[in-house]
Amino acid sequence: DGRVQYIDKVVSHREVRYDAETATPRPAHLTATGRVLVAFSSPTQAAHRRAALAASSSHRTFGRHIERARQDGYATNIDGAVIGAGGVAAPIFGADGACVAALNISAPTWRFDATREGMTKAVRWGAAEISRLLQRHAPAATSHTSSTRRGNHG
């Protein structure tokens, strides 16, 4: 339906922080997580998600964000769903190589801008580690497919 749902979070210990609400779905085109989920979806899922988003966003702008996420292996967002917040997300791949979730780090915009490179490295590393754990616990029949697919995303 063109929205993403956060399912868990760890809140920063800093006094000034961004604390994302997990109870309310957010428009996918306004979040780094949503952009990653569309960018790394199967072609059928991506077409369905893009159709759901067409009414609520500039198709051309959203398309550029998706292509950039595919090229970079992650997506960023500044002042999208929440003015004053920015974030970066990377895909998590399941045992069959399909994107099953995304890992996101968000912060107040000023902090995100100042630490973007470190946050990007951390979220990409974390998503890759989770993907490796999912691969390690995969049934033997799907093991080869998953590692081949993930390897293409860097």
Side-chain angles (χ1 to χ4, degrees):
D1 70 349
R3 299 181 300 165
V4 295
Q5 179 75 50
Y6 299 138
I7 58 171
D8 200 4
K9 65 181 177 179
V10 175
V11 180
S12 172
H13 66 280
R14 296 175 184 239
E15 210 167 312
V16 177
R17 62 184 168 257
Y18 172 59
D19 183 3
E21 178 61 51
T22 58
T24 307
R26 297 174 184 264
H29 69 286
L30 296 177
T31 67
T33 298
R35 292 172 182 175
V36 161
L37 291 174
V38 173
F40 292 95
S41 297
S42 71
T44 303
Q45 289 172 323
H48 175 70
R49 288 180 176 152
R50 282 184 190 214
L53 293 167
S56 60
S57 69
S58 164
H59 218 44
R60 189 173 21 211
T61 301
F62 186 65
R64 284 195 304 263
H65 289 299
I66 299 309
E67 289 308 313
R68 175 110 191 235
R70 284 185 185 135
Q71 291 171 3
D72 295 344
Y74 65 92
T76 60
N77 182 55
I78 302 280
D79 297 333
V82 177
I83 302 301
V88 58
I92 295 171
F93 298 99
D96 64 355
C99 179
V100 296
L103 182 63
N104 173 283
I105 299 176
S106 297
T109 301
W110 59 269
R111 184 175 297 132
F112 178 72
D113 282 340
T115 59
R116 179 189 306 243
E117 186 177 329
M119 285 187 179
T120 300
K121 286 180 182 178
V123 81
R124 293 185 77 194
W125 179 86
E129 284 299 303
I130 294 167
S131 296
R132 276 191 276 282
L133 286 171
L134 292 173
Q135 173 62 42
R136 186 178 308 156
H137 297 290
T142 61
S143 184
H144 176 71
T145 304
S146 179
S147 63
T148 302
R149 172 117 187 237
R150 275 200 328 270
N152 293 334
H153 296 293

